[in-house]
Every structure is written in C-alpha cells, then in structure tokens.
Amino acid sequence: MAPQHGPRRARIAFSDSAAKQLESITSEAEIHALDRALVVVSVDPDVGEPIPGASAGPQLRQYTDDVEQVRVLYFVTALRTVAVVAYIEV
C-alpha cells in the first residue's frame, strides 16, 4: 500500500518589493518568525483574511501571527499552487 500524504502545500514566491524587504531582515528571531508564518500560509492559503477593495485580479489576503508579531500580505494563484507574498512586516 502506498503511503498517505497530506494535502499539497502551496509554493511561496515573493514579489520584487517583498524580496527586497526579505533581504533587509537580519535577525535570526525575525527570520524564524517569518518562516513560521510562511509555513502556515503554504499549508492553508485561505488562512488569511481577505483585504476589502476592488480587485480585478487575485484577492489580496492578510495573515497576521500575533504571537510572532508577523504580518504578511499575499495572494494565491488561480490553481492554488503558489502564494505570492507582496509585503512583509516583522
């Protein structure tokens, strides 16, 4: 019998501006906190709250981890395979 696997995770990608923000993070604690938040988003892309507003494209969402003090703005691709991070606040 083949092993059972859980649901497939969404891949995380970064917009250019989020990638620049990522480069500026130097603290090990901040990197760990962000990594934890990104794992949550990759496992369940619907975890974040939709951000209201007119959207011609994908719905922008916000995930906030109050314990780790991390906020991530992202959207999920149509096939739900990639979560594109647009903004990071650690």
Side-chain angles (χ1 to χ4, degrees):
M1 179 185 266
Q4 295 286 334
H5 295 286
R8 186 176 177 155
R9 288 183 177 190
R11 196 171 52 108
I12 299 293
F14 296 94
S15 68
D16 290 341
S17 61
K20 287 179 185 174
Q21 289 176 302
L22 188 59
E23 290 173 4
S24 70
I25 298 173
T26 57
S27 161
E28 288 271 336
E30 289 178 341
I31 291 169
H32 175 74
L34 177 60
D35 186 50
R36 209 180 122 164
L38 295 175
V39 167
V40 170
V41 170
S42 74
V43 169
D44 182 8
D46 293 323
V47 71
E49 302 171 1
I51 295 176
S55 68
Q59 174 70 53
L60 192 59
R61 303 182 73 81
Q62 168 180 271
Y63 172 71
T64 304
D65 183 330
D66 294 326
V67 173
E68 296 285 352
Q69 300 298 310
V70 175
R71 180 174 168 238
V72 177
L73 300 183
Y74 67 99
F75 64 90
V76 183
T77 59
L79 296 177
R80 315 220 35 85
T81 57
V82 179
V84 179
V85 175
Y87 176 78
I88 301 167
E89 190 174 282
V90 182

mmCIF file of all heavy atoms in Angstrom, residues 35-88:
data_model
loop_
_atom_site.group_PDB
_atom_site.id
_atom_site.type_symbol
_atom_site.label_atom_id
_atom_site.label_comp_id
_atom_site.label_asym_id
_atom_site.label_seq_id
_atom_site.Cartn_x
_atom_site.Cartn_y
_atom_site.Cartn_z
ATOM 1 N N ASP A 35 9.519 32.682 8.804
ATOM 2 C CA ASP A 35 9.471 31.326 8.271
ATOM 3 C C ASP A 35 8.245 30.592 8.782
ATOM 4 O O ASP A 35 7.548 29.905 8.033
ATOM 5 C CB ASP A 35 10.749 30.575 8.650
ATOM 6 C CG ASP A 35 10.827 29.213 8.002
ATOM 7 O OD1 ASP A 35 10.635 29.136 6.768
ATOM 8 O OD2 ASP A 35 11.083 28.215 8.711
ATOM 9 N N ARG A 36 7.970 30.751 10.044
ATOM 10 C CA ARG A 36 6.793 30.109 10.643
ATOM 11 C C ARG A 36 5.497 30.587 9.987
ATOM 12 O O ARG A 36 4.608 29.795 9.674
ATOM 13 C CB ARG A 36 6.780 30.413 12.131
ATOM 14 C CG ARG A 36 6.139 29.364 12.950
ATOM 15 C CD ARG A 36 6.181 29.746 14.374
ATOM 16 N NE ARG A 36 4.778 29.742 14.768
ATOM 17 C CZ ARG A 36 4.352 29.727 15.996
ATOM 18 N NH1 ARG A 36 5.191 29.777 16.971
ATOM 19 N NH2 ARG A 36 3.088 29.671 16.258
ATOM 20 N N ALA A 37 5.402 31.888 9.765
ATOM 21 C CA ALA A 37 4.202 32.447 9.129
ATOM 22 C C ALA A 37 4.058 31.948 7.692
ATOM 23 O O ALA A 37 2.956 31.639 7.235
ATOM 24 C CB ALA A 37 4.260 33.976 9.159
ATOM 25 N N LEU A 38 5.172 31.848 6.975
ATOM 26 C CA LEU A 38 5.124 31.379 5.595
ATOM 27 C C LEU A 38 4.713 29.913 5.510
ATOM 28 O O LEU A 38 4.009 29.514 4.574
ATOM 29 C CB LEU A 38 6.469 31.609 4.904
ATOM 30 C CG LEU A 38 6.865 33.079 4.726
ATOM 31 C CD1 LEU A 38 8.260 33.174 4.138
ATOM 32 C CD2 LEU A 38 5.856 33.826 3.880
ATOM 33 N N VAL A 39 5.110 29.109 6.482
ATOM 34 C CA VAL A 39 4.685 27.708 6.511
ATOM 35 C C VAL A 39 3.174 27.640 6.703
ATOM 36 O O VAL A 39 2.487 26.871 6.026
ATOM 37 C CB VAL A 39 5.425 26.920 7.618
ATOM 38 C CG1 VAL A 39 4.764 25.569 7.868
ATOM 39 C CG2 VAL A 39 6.885 26.742 7.244
ATOM 40 N N VAL A 40 2.639 28.457 7.590
ATOM 41 C CA VAL A 40 1.190 28.475 7.818
ATOM 42 C C VAL A 40 0.458 28.810 6.523
ATOM 43 O O VAL A 40 -0.513 28.147 6.147
ATOM 44 C CB VAL A 40 0.825 29.477 8.935
ATOM 45 C CG1 VAL A 40 -0.681 29.680 9.011
ATOM 46 C CG2 VAL A 40 1.369 28.996 10.277
ATOM 47 N N VAL A 41 0.916 29.831 5.819
ATOM 48 C CA VAL A 41 0.279 30.247 4.560
ATOM 49 C C VAL A 41 0.413 29.151 3.501
ATOM 50 O O VAL A 41 -0.529 28.899 2.750
ATOM 51 C CB VAL A 41 0.864 31.586 4.061
ATOM 52 C CG1 VAL A 41 0.409 31.903 2.654
ATOM 53 C CG2 VAL A 41 0.486 32.714 5.015
ATOM 54 N N SER A 42 1.562 28.494 3.436
ATOM 55 C CA SER A 42 1.750 27.458 2.420
ATOM 56 C C SER A 42 0.858 26.243 2.670
ATOM 57 O O SER A 42 0.382 25.618 1.735
ATOM 58 C CB SER A 42 3.215 27.036 2.329
ATOM 59 O OG SER A 42 3.600 26.252 3.423
ATOM 60 N N VAL A 43 0.635 25.919 3.933
ATOM 61 C CA VAL A 43 -0.205 24.773 4.272
ATOM 62 C C VAL A 43 -1.681 25.083 4.022
ATOM 63 O O VAL A 43 -2.430 24.252 3.522
ATOM 64 C CB VAL A 43 0.017 24.352 5.743
ATOM 65 C CG1 VAL A 43 -1.017 23.341 6.195
ATOM 66 C CG2 VAL A 43 1.419 23.797 5.912
ATOM 67 N N ASP A 44 -2.109 26.294 4.342
ATOM 68 C CA ASP A 44 -3.511 26.696 4.171
ATOM 69 C C ASP A 44 -3.568 28.115 3.622
ATOM 70 O O ASP A 44 -3.640 29.078 4.390
ATOM 71 C CB ASP A 44 -4.254 26.604 5.503
ATOM 72 C CG ASP A 44 -5.722 26.961 5.377
ATOM 73 O OD1 ASP A 44 -6.218 27.134 4.241
ATOM 74 O OD2 ASP A 44 -6.383 27.071 6.421
ATOM 75 N N PRO A 45 -3.543 28.274 2.297
ATOM 76 C CA PRO A 45 -3.542 29.618 1.711
ATOM 77 C C PRO A 45 -4.779 30.457 2.052
ATOM 78 O O PRO A 45 -4.762 31.677 1.911
ATOM 79 C CB PRO A 45 -3.480 29.348 0.201
ATOM 80 C CG PRO A 45 -2.900 27.989 0.079
ATOM 81 C CD PRO A 45 -3.375 27.238 1.289
ATOM 82 N N ASP A 46 -5.855 29.818 2.524
ATOM 83 C CA ASP A 46 -7.065 30.559 2.887
ATOM 84 C C ASP A 46 -7.046 31.056 4.321
ATOM 85 O O ASP A 46 -8.008 31.654 4.785
ATOM 86 C CB ASP A 46 -8.299 29.678 2.679
ATOM 87 C CG ASP A 46 -8.539 29.378 1.216
ATOM 88 O OD1 ASP A 46 -8.302 30.270 0.375
ATOM 89 O OD2 ASP A 46 -8.958 28.243 0.912
ATOM 90 N N VAL A 47 -5.943 30.826 5.046
ATOM 91 C CA VAL A 47 -5.862 31.180 6.456
ATOM 92 C C VAL A 47 -5.983 32.684 6.681
ATOM 93 O O VAL A 47 -6.539 33.122 7.675
ATOM 94 C CB VAL A 47 -4.574 30.618 7.096
ATOM 95 C CG1 VAL A 47 -3.348 31.334 6.611
ATOM 96 C CG2 VAL A 47 -4.659 30.653 8.609
ATOM 97 N N GLY A 48 -5.492 33.475 5.776
ATOM 98 C CA GLY A 48 -5.517 34.928 5.939
ATOM 99 C C GLY A 48 -6.889 35.514 5.675
ATOM 100 O O GLY A 48 -7.756 34.886 5.074
ATOM 101 N N GLU A 49 -7.055 36.732 6.144
ATOM 102 C CA GLU A 49 -8.313 37.446 5.928
ATOM 103 C C GLU A 49 -8.251 38.193 4.603
ATOM 104 O O GLU A 49 -7.246 38.814 4.290
ATOM 105 C CB GLU A 49 -8.523 38.488 7.029
ATOM 106 C CG GLU A 49 -8.548 37.947 8.413
ATOM 107 C CD GLU A 49 -8.540 39.065 9.461
ATOM 108 O OE1 GLU A 49 -8.536 40.251 9.086
ATOM 109 O OE2 GLU A 49 -8.532 38.739 10.644
ATOM 110 N N PRO A 50 -9.341 38.163 3.821
ATOM 111 C CA PRO A 50 -9.361 38.956 2.590
ATOM 112 C C PRO A 50 -9.299 40.449 2.921
ATOM 113 O O PRO A 50 -9.883 40.899 3.908
ATOM 114 C CB PRO A 50 -10.701 38.615 1.952
ATOM 115 C CG PRO A 50 -11.168 37.378 2.636
ATOM 116 C CD PRO A 50 -10.540 37.367 3.992
ATOM 117 N N ILE A 51 -8.566 41.189 2.132
ATOM 118 C CA ILE A 51 -8.494 42.635 2.297
ATOM 119 C C ILE A 51 -9.551 43.240 1.380
ATOM 120 O O ILE A 51 -9.542 42.994 0.173
ATOM 121 C CB ILE A 51 -7.090 43.165 1.955
ATOM 122 C CG1 ILE A 51 -6.090 42.604 2.963
ATOM 123 C CG2 ILE A 51 -7.064 44.685 1.938
ATOM 124 C CD1 ILE A 51 -4.659 42.980 2.689
ATOM 125 N N PRO A 52 -10.488 44.008 1.951
ATOM 126 C CA PRO A 52 -11.569 44.556 1.127
ATOM 127 C C PRO A 52 -11.045 45.562 0.099
ATOM 128 O O PRO A 52 -10.034 46.214 0.304
ATOM 129 C CB PRO A 52 -12.490 45.241 2.135
ATOM 130 C CG PRO A 52 -11.779 45.271 3.427
ATOM 131 C CD PRO A 52 -10.571 44.405 3.333
ATOM 132 N N GLY A 53 -11.768 45.656 -0.982
ATOM 133 C CA GLY A 53 -11.417 46.598 -2.033
ATOM 134 C C GLY A 53 -11.689 45.984 -3.380
ATOM 135 O O GLY A 53 -11.862 44.779 -3.523
ATOM 136 N N ALA A 54 -11.730 46.825 -4.367
ATOM 137 C CA ALA A 54 -11.955 46.342 -5.728
ATOM 138 C C ALA A 54 -10.736 45.558 -6.181
ATOM 139 O O ALA A 54 -9.609 45.994 -6.008
ATOM 140 C CB ALA A 54 -12.209 47.519 -6.658
ATOM 141 N N SER A 55 -10.988 44.399 -6.734
ATOM 142 C CA SER A 55 -9.853 43.622 -7.214
ATOM 143 C C SER A 55 -10.171 43.050 -8.584
ATOM 144 O O SER A 55 -11.095 42.267 -8.737
ATOM 145 C CB SER A 55 -9.491 42.505 -6.234
ATOM 146 O OG SER A 55 -10.510 41.539 -6.200
ATOM 147 N N ALA A 56 -9.412 43.489 -9.553
ATOM 148 C CA ALA A 56 -9.564 42.958 -10.898
ATOM 149 C C ALA A 56 -8.810 41.646 -11.020
ATOM 150 O O ALA A 56 -9.098 40.833 -11.869
ATOM 151 C CB ALA A 56 -9.048 43.969 -11.914
ATOM 152 N N GLY A 57 -7.846 41.451 -10.147
ATOM 153 C CA GLY A 57 -7.017 40.242 -10.184
ATOM 154 C C GLY A 57 -7.302 39.370 -8.988
ATOM 155 O O GLY A 57 -8.389 39.405 -8.420
ATOM 156 N N PRO A 58 -6.314 38.629 -8.555
ATOM 157 C CA PRO A 58 -6.491 37.756 -7.388
ATOM 158 C C PRO A 58 -6.769 38.559 -6.115
ATOM 159 O O PRO A 58 -6.311 39.691 -5.972
ATOM 160 C CB PRO A 58 -5.151 37.032 -7.272
ATOM 161 C CG PRO A 58 -4.367 37.361 -8.475
ATOM 162 C CD PRO A 58 -4.999 38.532 -9.134
ATOM 163 N N GLN A 59 -7.506 37.958 -5.195
ATOM 164 C CA GLN A 59 -7.855 38.591 -3.924
ATOM 165 C C GLN A 59 -6.630 38.712 -3.036
ATOM 166 O O GLN A 59 -5.965 37.723 -2.750
ATOM 167 C CB GLN A 59 -8.917 37.751 -3.205
ATOM 168 C CG GLN A 59 -9.259 38.218 -1.818
ATOM 169 C CD GLN A 59 -10.028 39.518 -1.798
ATOM 170 O OE1 GLN A 59 -11.053 39.626 -2.457
ATOM 171 N NE2 GLN A 59 -9.553 40.495 -1.076
ATOM 172 N N LEU A 60 -6.331 39.929 -2.608
ATOM 173 C CA LEU A 60 -5.231 40.157 -1.677
ATOM 174 C C LEU A 60 -5.686 39.738 -0.289
ATOM 175 O O LEU A 60 -6.797 40.050 0.133
ATOM 176 C CB LEU A 60 -4.820 41.625 -1.699
ATOM 177 C CG LEU A 60 -3.516 42.003 -1.023
ATOM 178 C CD1 LEU A 60 -2.338 41.258 -1.656
ATOM 179 C CD2 LEU A 60 -3.279 43.494 -1.121
ATOM 180 N N ARG A 61 -4.837 38.995 0.414
ATOM 181 C CA ARG A 61 -5.154 38.491 1.744
ATOM 182 C C ARG A 61 -4.100 38.952 2.733
ATOM 183 O O ARG A 61 -2.982 39.280 2.349
ATOM 184 C CB ARG A 61 -5.228 36.963 1.743
ATOM 185 C CG ARG A 61 -6.232 36.408 0.748
ATOM 186 C CD ARG A 61 -6.321 34.904 0.793
ATOM 187 N NE ARG A 61 -7.001 34.429 1.992
ATOM 188 C CZ ARG A 61 -8.323 34.394 2.141
ATOM 189 N NH1 ARG A 61 -9.111 34.825 1.180
ATOM 190 N NH2 ARG A 61 -8.866 33.933 3.245
ATOM 191 N N GLN A 62 -4.451 38.946 4.012
ATOM 192 C CA GLN A 62 -3.536 39.348 5.081
ATOM 193 C C GLN A 62 -3.514 38.257 6.138
ATOM 194 O O GLN A 62 -4.555 37.857 6.644
ATOM 195 C CB GLN A 62 -4.021 40.644 5.693
ATOM 196 C CG GLN A 62 -3.332 41.016 6.982
ATOM 197 C CD GLN A 62 -3.866 42.311 7.541
ATOM 198 O OE1 GLN A 62 -3.358 43.347 7.198
ATOM 199 N NE2 GLN A 62 -4.897 42.249 8.373
ATOM 200 N N TYR A 63 -2.316 37.766 6.459
ATOM 201 C CA TYR A 63 -2.169 36.816 7.560
ATOM 202 C C TYR A 63 -1.342 37.494 8.633
ATOM 203 O O TYR A 63 -0.263 38.025 8.364
ATOM 204 C CB TYR A 63 -1.470 35.528 7.110
ATOM 205 C CG TYR A 63 -1.134 34.637 8.278
ATOM 206 C CD1 TYR A 63 -2.135 33.964 8.969
ATOM 207 C CD2 TYR A 63 0.171 34.504 8.719
ATOM 208 C CE1 TYR A 63 -1.827 33.171 10.066
ATOM 209 C CE2 TYR A 63 0.485 33.706 9.811
ATOM 210 C CZ TYR A 63 -0.522 33.051 10.481
ATOM 211 O OH TYR A 63 -0.228 32.273 11.571
ATOM 212 N N THR A 64 -1.845 37.484 9.862
ATOM 213 C CA THR A 64 -1.139 38.075 10.985
ATOM 214 C C THR A 64 -0.956 37.017 12.063
ATOM 215 O O THR A 64 -1.912 36.379 12.484
ATOM 216 C CB THR A 64 -1.930 39.268 11.572
ATOM 217 O OG1 THR A 64 -2.175 40.210 10.529
ATOM 218 C CG2 THR A 64 -1.168 39.939 12.684
ATOM 219 N N ASP A 65 0.290 36.834 12.477
ATOM 220 C CA ASP A 65 0.607 35.941 13.586
ATOM 221 C C ASP A 65 0.909 36.839 14.776
ATOM 222 O O ASP A 65 1.965 37.455 14.840
ATOM 223 C CB ASP A 65 1.823 35.066 13.235
ATOM 224 C CG ASP A 65 2.156 34.065 14.320
ATOM 225 O OD1 ASP A 65 1.896 34.356 15.513
ATOM 226 O OD2 ASP A 65 2.686 32.997 13.988
ATOM 227 N N ASP A 66 -0.053 36.928 15.697
ATOM 228 C CA ASP A 66 0.093 37.828 16.837
ATOM 229 C C ASP A 66 1.150 37.363 17.826
ATOM 230 O O ASP A 66 1.741 38.170 18.530
ATOM 231 C CB ASP A 66 -1.250 38.004 17.552
ATOM 232 C CG ASP A 66 -2.266 38.717 16.675
ATOM 233 O OD1 ASP A 66 -1.846 39.585 15.886
ATOM 234 O OD2 ASP A 66 -3.462 38.395 16.774
ATOM 235 N N VAL A 67 1.419 36.069 17.885
ATOM 236 C CA VAL A 67 2.428 35.542 18.803
ATOM 237 C C VAL A 67 3.817 35.953 18.325
ATOM 238 O O VAL A 67 4.647 36.423 19.089
ATOM 239 C CB VAL A 67 2.324 34.006 18.924
ATOM 240 C CG1 VAL A 67 3.466 33.441 19.743
ATOM 241 C CG2 VAL A 67 0.985 33.613 19.516
ATOM 242 N N GLU A 68 4.082 35.753 17.033
ATOM 243 C CA GLU A 68 5.409 36.042 16.465
ATOM 244 C C GLU A 68 5.537 37.480 15.959
ATOM 245 O O GLU A 68 6.598 37.888 15.509
ATOM 246 C CB GLU A 68 5.710 35.077 15.312
ATOM 247 C CG GLU A 68 5.807 33.633 15.731
ATOM 248 C CD GLU A 68 7.092 33.307 16.461
ATOM 249 O OE1 GLU A 68 7.998 34.152 16.539
ATOM 250 O OE2 GLU A 68 7.194 32.178 16.955
ATOM 251 N N GLN A 69 4.452 38.245 15.985
ATOM 252 C CA GLN A 69 4.450 39.640 15.525
ATOM 253 C C GLN A 69 4.870 39.744 14.058
ATOM 254 O O GLN A 69 5.767 40.496 13.694
ATOM 255 C CB GLN A 69 5.363 40.505 16.403
ATOM 256 C CG GLN A 69 4.965 40.524 17.862
ATOM 257 C CD GLN A 69 3.582 41.111 18.080
ATOM 258 O OE1 GLN A 69 3.275 42.184 17.576
ATOM 259 N NE2 GLN A 69 2.739 40.421 18.803
ATOM 260 N N VAL A 70 4.192 38.958 13.205
ATOM 261 C CA VAL A 70 4.462 38.951 11.773
ATOM 262 C C VAL A 70 3.171 39.237 11.032
ATOM 263 O O VAL A 70 2.109 38.733 11.398
ATOM 264 C CB VAL A 70 5.013 37.573 11.327
ATOM 265 C CG1 VAL A 70 5.189 37.522 9.825
ATOM 266 C CG2 VAL A 70 6.322 37.267 12.018
ATOM 267 N N ARG A 71 3.273 40.034 9.981
ATOM 268 C CA ARG A 71 2.137 40.320 9.101
ATOM 269 C C ARG A 71 2.609 40.112 7.669
ATOM 270 O O ARG A 71 3.653 40.637 7.274
ATOM 271 C CB ARG A 71 1.660 41.750 9.299
ATOM 272 C CG ARG A 71 0.492 42.128 8.440
ATOM 273 C CD ARG A 71 0.018 43.525 8.855
ATOM 274 N NE ARG A 71 -0.912 44.032 7.896
ATOM 275 C CZ ARG A 71 -0.766 45.162 7.231
ATOM 276 N NH1 ARG A 71 0.282 45.936 7.442
ATOM 277 N NH2 ARG A 71 -1.666 45.557 6.372
ATOM 278 N N VAL A 72 1.833 39.345 6.908
ATOM 279 C CA VAL A 72 2.186 39.042 5.526
ATOM 280 C C VAL A 72 0.973 39.336 4.648
ATOM 281 O O VAL A 72 -0.134 38.876 4.938
ATOM 282 C CB VAL A 72 2.582 37.555 5.378
ATOM 283 C CG1 VAL A 72 2.882 37.213 3.938
ATOM 284 C CG2 VAL A 72 3.764 37.213 6.268
ATOM 285 N N LEU A 73 1.175 40.114 3.588
ATOM 286 C CA LEU A 73 0.137 40.333 2.587
ATOM 287 C C LEU A 73 0.488 39.465 1.398
ATOM 288 O O LEU A 73 1.638 39.445 0.953
ATOM 289 C CB LEU A 73 0.074 41.794 2.162
ATOM 290 C CG LEU A 73 -0.216 42.819 3.266
ATOM 291 C CD1 LEU A 73 -0.310 44.212 2.660
ATOM 292 C CD2 LEU A 73 -1.476 42.489 4.015
ATOM 293 N N TYR A 74 -0.502 38.759 0.865
ATOM 294 C CA TYR A 74 -0.229 37.813 -0.214
ATOM 295 C C TYR A 74 -1.475 37.583 -1.047
ATOM 296 O O TYR A 74 -2.584 37.951 -0.663
ATOM 297 C CB TYR A 74 0.273 36.475 0.356
ATOM 298 C CG TYR A 74 -0.769 35.726 1.156
ATOM 299 C CD1 TYR A 74 -1.495 34.683 0.583
ATOM 300 C CD2 TYR A 74 -1.036 36.056 2.478
ATOM 301 C CE1 TYR A 74 -2.465 34.012 1.302
ATOM 302 C CE2 TYR A 74 -1.990 35.388 3.208
ATOM 303 C CZ TYR A 74 -2.698 34.351 2.614
ATOM 304 O OH TYR A 74 -3.654 33.694 3.331
ATOM 305 N N PHE A 75 -1.275 36.974 -2.204
ATOM 306 C CA PHE A 75 -2.399 36.473 -2.985
ATOM 307 C C PHE A 75 -2.053 35.081 -3.472
ATOM 308 O O PHE A 75 -0.892 34.695 -3.518
ATOM 309 C CB PHE A 75 -2.775 37.411 -4.140
ATOM 310 C CG PHE A 75 -1.722 37.571 -5.195
ATOM 311 C CD1 PHE A 75 -1.672 36.726 -6.288
ATOM 312 C CD2 PHE A 75 -0.772 38.585 -5.105
ATOM 313 C CE1 PHE A 75 -0.702 36.878 -7.268
ATOM 314 C CE2 PHE A 75 0.197 38.746 -6.082
ATOM 315 C CZ PHE A 75 0.227 37.889 -7.171
ATOM 316 N N VAL A 76 -3.084 34.325 -3.796
ATOM 317 C CA VAL A 76 -2.905 32.936 -4.201
ATOM 318 C C VAL A 76 -3.259 32.824 -5.680
ATOM 319 O O VAL A 76 -4.248 33.393 -6.126
ATOM 320 C CB VAL A 76 -3.808 32.003 -3.364
ATOM 321 C CG1 VAL A 76 -3.585 30.551 -3.722
ATOM 322 C CG2 VAL A 76 -3.560 32.226 -1.876
ATOM 323 N N THR A 77 -2.445 32.072 -6.420
ATOM 324 C CA THR A 77 -2.705 31.907 -7.850
ATOM 325 C C THR A 77 -3.983 31.107 -8.070
ATOM 326 O O THR A 77 -4.484 30.438 -7.168
ATOM 327 C CB THR A 77 -1.527 31.204 -8.544
ATOM 328 O OG1 THR A 77 -1.333 29.926 -7.943
ATOM 329 C CG2 THR A 77 -0.264 32.029 -8.456
ATOM 330 N N ALA A 78 -4.498 31.168 -9.289
ATOM 331 C CA ALA A 78 -5.776 30.541 -9.629
ATOM 332 C C ALA A 78 -5.798 29.037 -9.349
ATOM 333 O O ALA A 78 -6.808 28.500 -8.911
ATOM 334 C CB ALA A 78 -6.106 30.801 -11.096
ATOM 335 N N LEU A 79 -4.692 28.366 -9.559
ATOM 336 C CA LEU A 79 -4.649 26.927 -9.312
ATOM 337 C C LEU A 79 -4.319 26.589 -7.860
ATOM 338 O O LEU A 79 -4.175 25.422 -7.510
ATOM 339 C CB LEU A 79 -3.636 26.257 -10.249
ATOM 340 C CG LEU A 79 -3.982 26.352 -11.730
ATOM 341 C CD1 LEU A 79 -2.882 25.718 -12.566
ATOM 342 C CD2 LEU A 79 -5.324 25.701 -12.020
ATOM 343 N N ARG A 80 -4.172 27.615 -7.034
ATOM 344 C CA ARG A 80 -3.922 27.467 -5.599
ATOM 345 C C ARG A 80 -2.604 26.756 -5.310
ATOM 346 O O ARG A 80 -2.454 26.095 -4.290
ATOM 347 C CB ARG A 80 -5.084 26.750 -4.917
ATOM 348 C CG ARG A 80 -6.417 27.281 -5.362
ATOM 349 C CD ARG A 80 -7.497 27.458 -4.377
ATOM 350 N NE ARG A 80 -7.243 27.860 -3.042
ATOM 351 C CZ ARG A 80 -7.107 29.106 -2.609
ATOM 352 N NH1 ARG A 80 -7.139 30.094 -3.460
ATOM 353 N NH2 ARG A 80 -6.949 29.368 -1.358
ATOM 354 N N THR A 81 -1.652 26.875 -6.224
ATOM 355 C CA THR A 81 -0.382 26.187 -6.043
ATOM 356 C C THR A 81 0.735 27.130 -5.593
ATOM 357 O O THR A 81 1.756 26.683 -5.117
ATOM 358 C CB THR A 81 0.061 25.500 -7.330
ATOM 359 O OG1 THR A 81 0.134 26.469 -8.376
ATOM 360 C CG2 THR A 81 -0.906 24.386 -7.729
ATOM 361 N N VAL A 82 0.523 28.440 -5.752
ATOM 362 C CA VAL A 82 1.545 29.406 -5.371
ATOM 363 C C VAL A 82 0.906 30.546 -4.594
ATOM 364 O O VAL A 82 -0.117 31.087 -5.009
ATOM 365 C CB VAL A 82 2.271 29.990 -6.620
ATOM 366 C CG1 VAL A 82 3.317 31.016 -6.215
ATOM 367 C CG2 VAL A 82 2.894 28.885 -7.450
ATOM 368 N N ALA A 83 1.509 30.884 -3.456
ATOM 369 C CA ALA A 83 1.110 32.071 -2.708
ATOM 370 C C ALA A 83 2.191 33.105 -2.932
ATOM 371 O O ALA A 83 3.356 32.877 -2.610
ATOM 372 C CB ALA A 83 0.975 31.745 -1.224
ATOM 373 N N VAL A 84 1.836 34.238 -3.527
ATOM 374 C CA VAL A 84 2.797 35.286 -3.840
ATOM 375 C C VAL A 84 2.745 36.333 -2.735
ATOM 376 O O VAL A 84 1.719 36.968 -2.520
ATOM 377 C CB VAL A 84 2.500 35.934 -5.205
ATOM 378 C CG1 VAL A 84 3.503 37.028 -5.493
ATOM 379 C CG2 VAL A 84 2.517 34.891 -6.313
ATOM 380 N N VAL A 85 3.851 36.468 -2.018
ATOM 381 C CA VAL A 85 3.923 37.424 -0.912
ATOM 382 C C VAL A 85 4.225 38.798 -1.484
ATOM 383 O O VAL A 85 5.191 38.980 -2.214
ATOM 384 C CB VAL A 85 5.005 36.982 0.095
ATOM 385 C CG1 VAL A 85 5.176 38.030 1.183
ATOM 386 C CG2 VAL A 85 4.661 35.620 0.693
ATOM 387 N N ALA A 86 3.392 39.760 -1.131
ATOM 388 C CA ALA A 86 3.533 41.113 -1.647
ATOM 389 C C ALA A 86 4.166 42.056 -0.627
ATOM 390 O O ALA A 86 4.764 43.055 -1.005
ATOM 391 C CB ALA A 86 2.167 41.656 -2.067
ATOM 392 N N TYR A 87 4.026 41.750 0.662
ATOM 393 C CA TYR A 87 4.510 42.665 1.713
ATOM 394 C C TYR A 87 4.797 41.864 2.965
ATOM 395 O O TYR A 87 4.053 40.948 3.311
ATOM 396 C CB TYR A 87 3.426 43.710 1.990
ATOM 397 C CG TYR A 87 3.771 44.658 3.120
ATOM 398 C CD1 TYR A 87 4.639 45.708 2.934
ATOM 399 C CD2 TYR A 87 3.202 44.484 4.374
ATOM 400 C CE1 TYR A 87 4.949 46.562 3.986
ATOM 401 C CE2 TYR A 87 3.492 45.338 5.424
ATOM 402 C CZ TYR A 87 4.368 46.374 5.219
ATOM 403 O OH TYR A 87 4.680 47.223 6.245
ATOM 404 N N ILE A 88 5.866 42.216 3.646
ATOM 405 C CA ILE A 88 6.267 41.537 4.877
ATOM 406 C C ILE A 88 6.468 42.582 5.976
ATOM 407 O O ILE A 88 7.078 43.612 5.751
ATOM 408 C CB ILE A 88 7.613 40.799 4.680
ATOM 409 C CG1 ILE A 88 7.515 39.777 3.569
ATOM 410 C CG2 ILE A 88 8.083 40.176 5.988
ATOM 411 C CD1 ILE A 88 8.858 39.242 3.119
#
